[in-house]
Amino acid sequence: QVQLVESGGGLVQAGGSLRLSCAASGSIFSINAMGWYRQAPGKQRELVAAITSGGTTNYPDSVKGRFTISRDNAKNTVYLQMNSLKPEDTAVYYCNTFPRPDPPWGQGTQVTVSS
């Protein structure tokens, strides 16, 4: 079974940076677009970044210019560099396939941004 393991979250002050990592087992990684999603308390899970197998990226306006997604196909790992963090970025961050999340969700990694 495919497993997704996120890491790199933590507590950071507003304006700070974090780099998240997601390690994916199995054969899904090299042929699929991958995405980073987040879920804040009381809110629906939302996409914050996506990258195709060829490296094309897209972002919602809320994070554009601040977040950068990248991938290392050799390591089956996708990254999310988050800069200029805001308190509203506080959430649990997950990775999964894009546009349709398919493997079971991992445990996610908590990002907390203090004001």
Side-chain angles (χ1 to χ4, degrees), residues 18-92:
L18 284 173
R19 188 191 194 212
L20 308 183
S21 298
C22 170
S25 66
S27 60
I28 65 161
F29 190 84
S30 62
I31 62 173
N32 277 277
M34 297 294 295
W36 278 98
Y37 304 79
R38 69 185 179 189
Q39 187 167 23
K43 295 187 177 181
Q44 288 190 331
R45 194 170 296 175
E46 62 175 351
L47 177 76
V48 295
I51 186 167
T52 67
S53 57
T56 301
T57 59
N58 69 75
Y59 309 90
D61 289 344
S62 58
V63 306
K64 195 173 293 183
R66 301 189 297 120
F67 289 11
T68 303
I69 188 172
S70 61
R71 65 191 293 163
D72 185 333
N73 290 337
K75 295 182 179 180
N76 283 1
T77 301
V78 61
Y79 304 97
L80 185 68
Q81 178 67 44
M82 305 186 295
N83 299 327
S84 301
L85 282 162
K86 304 176 181 180
E88 51 263 44
D89 295 318
T90 295
V92 179

